[in-house]
Amino acid sequence: MAWGFMFFKPSHSVGERGNPSGLRVTMENAHNEKTTTIKVNYLARVEGEGNMYIDIEKGQLKSLNFGIHEPPRFFEAFLRGRKFSEAPDITSRICGICPIAYQMSSVHAMENALEVKITPWIRKMRRFLYCGEHIQSHILHAYLLHAPDFLGYESSIHMAKDHPQEVEHGLQLKKIGNEIMEMIGGRAVHPINVKVGGFYSAPSKKAMRDMVPMLDRACDMARAATKWVATLPFPEFERQYTYVSLHHPDEYAFNEGQIVSNKGLDITPAQFNATFEEIHVEHSNALHCRFRETGACYYNGPLARFANNFDQLSQGTRDLAREVGLDRIVSNPFKSILVRCLESFEYCKEALQIARDYEEPDSPSVPVHPQAGEGHAWTEAPRGGLYHHYVLDDEGNIIKAQLTIPTSQNQAMIEDDLRALVPQYIDLPDDQLQWKCEQAIRNYDPCISCATHFLNLHVKRS
Amino acid sequence: MRHPFFKSSRQKVVSGWFFIGIGSRFRGDDAVGCLLADELAAAGLAAIEHSGEPTSLIDDWQGPERVMLLDAVFSGAAPGIIHHFDLRTETLPAAFSKPTTHAIGIAEAVEFARALGKLPPKIEFYGIEGQSFDYGRSLSPPVQEALEKLKGMLLKRYGSG
């Protein structure tokens, strides 16, 4: 039946553009003052189900909230009592689009807890795998979910009729991302070759070399994609963000490094909970993250990686960035689609290099011995940082698990963007305002299915 | 130990019918497309299993001139009902899409291919109405019965024997 994600709105969904059964109520009180409420019950073309409420009173934004109403999924509770070795496979089921991110954060956190040192081969092949996931996720989002917003199309199917070559490139690039994941992950959706300590099996040198021509073409297509996306009409909208991401001095950070910001933050993943907190807001099943000390929200995702790791990009990617008019700090969130394409170009080049240089290892994994411990990891999912924290008992069973996902980390910032955006476009007709808001939410490529991960439940019996 | 690098069952044919059984073997009646593909392949027909991932699905039907999609559907009809559509001239009903806002069904993949001019010259769809899509379940009795019926019909029509 259905698979994975949506890039075309099913006819039964409500709140569709052009025919918004999403509720719009305009009331007039005794003083002839108009109050408008726009209520969109289903947001299409994002992962999972979210809603958005905007109240406008006398031409002023009165209140706004972006809610995620996917039910809680209790994965953290599922993990308790399970073996450390089960975490990569269990957590990868949280998302069909970014399963690698869950596998990477879980294996790194477990290896942190169990004091495991991986080999350079494992490290490189994890980057290869992550390249595949980022390419397929970014291209899916850019071409099939977000680009139609900029060009005024109802869906990518409508867009494909007028831009077949571009969409064709998008489909091919997404497929190449999948094939990278299949090569080292065993399959593209919920890969099965990742384990704590490395991989179950290694691909042959021939299989990796055979990918080289395809990856060579992918670089050309990703370059073309970046240039095409740069021609989209970007709404005028500038923000001053605190960009939070992983940073590594020697590479464009995926798996390892410090959590940094453009405003001086520099912490280890183990300091995550001392620095950030997750809070529950009434209107959403997904927790909101913020700085513990100031309560301020922050941006994580492509713009943050780009800002904090610009110097770690290859020269070719930095040149392409300048060619399409991007500086290190991209303060227009609508340009996140452009940074996604630029990152895809970088990942295609890295995957190509890894395939060219590939040698078969003596062993695809290192031994892992269960012991009591506590481990933390932050890795970069396509849509932002994914933090995992585990506590293990003497036998390596999970006592505690915490998964803080990118959409939770970005949800407060999404609302903040909308509060700034709506006044700028408040005079637009409601359907156009709704369009603009949905487009702004998609700047974050939110994965709402992942975001409903934990809720404290209190039962009162009398 | 698991060996992840299984041989891809993908194959290309340029003549004759190419059957693509779509679904997951682990989700009850959703396995019916895969099981049908098994049966047809065992009878010597060109048949593969597919998860339904849209880009590789569209890719898999490039080359073959005649493609038959076999899938479970959930439209509200009686379990075991067999639906048939000629996708060159018909679109799959929206009811065949999985009722979530984040899933793409085969219906949307077909329309995407149509927009890009990537439909094969002949492409048809057989869908068996499912009853239960729970993990770990085997086929429900009406779907098992429909599988046998559709298999018999396809083998009679397209089988060499």
Side-chain angles (χ1 to χ4, degrees), chain B residues 94-113:
Chain B
F96 283 16
S97 295
K98 194 180 173 189
T100 76
T101 53
H102 60 280
I104 174 173
I106 305 306
E108 290 79 26
V110 168
E111 291 315 306
F112 211 98

Side-chain angles (χ1 to χ4, degrees), chain B residues 32-100:
Chain B
V32 71
C34 309
L35 298 174
L36 255 173
D38 287 349
E39 299 274 5
L40 298 178
L45 295 175
I48 64 164
E49 169 185 347
H50 199 284
S51 69
E53 191 282 318
T55 54
S56 65
L57 184 63
I58 293 170
D59 196 52
D60 272 349
W61 70 48
Q62 304 308 300
E65 290 181 352
R66 286 176 278 183
V67 171
M68 187 84 73
L69 305 179
L70 310 166
D71 194 10
V73 300
F74 189 66
S75 69
I81 291 283
I82 299 172
H83 306 266
H84 175 252
F85 295 90
D86 179 344
L87 298 177
R88 289 297 309 192
T89 57
E90 298 171 280
T91 56
L92 289 174
F96 283 16
S97 295
K98 194 180 173 189
T100 76

Side-chain angles (χ1 to χ4, degrees), chain A residues 271-280 287-296 298 402 404 408-409:
Chain A
Q271 294 170 287
F272 179 88
N273 282 325
T275 310
F276 303 102
E277 63 179 352
E278 295 180 281
I279 58 163
H280 181 231
L287 300 176
H288 279 205
C289 285
R290 61 187 189 183
F291 279 99
R292 188 175 287 279
E293 194 174 315
T294 62
Y298 55 95
Q402 178 191 353
T404 302
S408 274
Q409 297 202 54

Side-chain angles (χ1 to χ4, degrees), chain A residues 130-316:
Chain A
Y130 233 154
C131 283
E133 173 162 285
H134 275 247
I135 293 166
Q136 65 87 19
S137 177
H138 276 358
I139 295 298
L140 165 74
H141 177 77
Y143 274 86
L144 304 183
L145 307 179
H146 209 190
D149 282 338
F150 292 86
L151 296 171
Y153 292 103
E154 187 79 12
S155 77
S156 54
I157 293 175
H158 296 83
M159 190 177 85
K161 291 171 184 163
D162 295 337
H163 299 274
Q165 191 181 351
E166 287 80 8
V167 174
E168 177 69 38
H169 273 173
L171 288 174
Q172 286 184 35
L173 270 172
K174 185 193 179 304
K175 186 166 168 288
I176 289 170
N178 284 353
E179 292 195 14
I180 294 170
M181 292 163 72
E182 285 173 14
M183 175 56 63
I184 182 64
R187 63 187 189 194
V189 181
H190 302 141
I192 49 170
N193 193 33
V194 171
K195 66 174 184 174
V196 180
F199 295 93
Y200 287 98
S201 184
S204 70
K205 186 172 176 177
K206 180 180 181 311
M208 287 291 284
R209 289 288 194 280
D210 286 348
M211 296 189 83
V212 167
M214 178 187 76
L215 293 171
D216 221 358
R217 287 198 309 278
C219 293
D220 293 339
M221 285 190 287
R223 178 188 288 277
T226 307
K227 289 184 175 178
W228 178 67
V229 166
T231 66
L232 296 176
F234 296 103
E236 294 291 330
F237 186 58
E238 299 289 326
R239 309 289 331 264
Q240 300 301 315
Y241 293 116
T242 298
Y243 296 106
V244 175
S245 76
L246 203 63
H247 172 76
H248 189 286
D250 304 324
E251 62 195 15
Y252 198 71
F254 266 156
N255 295 59
E256 295 171 26
Q258 292 281 105
I259 301 169
V260 305
S261 80
N262 58 325
K263 296 184 178 167
L265 179 74
D266 191 349
I267 59 169
T268 65
Q271 294 170 287
F272 179 88
N273 282 325
T275 310
F276 303 102
E277 63 179 352
E278 295 180 281
I279 58 163
H280 181 231
V281 295
E282 192 177 350
H283 59 269
S284 181
N285 284 351
L287 300 176
H288 279 205
C289 285
R290 61 187 189 183
F291 279 99
R292 188 175 287 279
E293 194 174 315
T294 62
C297 54
Y298 55 95
Y299 180 105
N300 89 83
L303 300 189
R305 280 193 296 270
F306 190 71
N308 295 330
N309 299 286
F310 186 84
D311 294 334
Q312 283 68 38
L313 287 166
S314 65
Q315 185 62 51

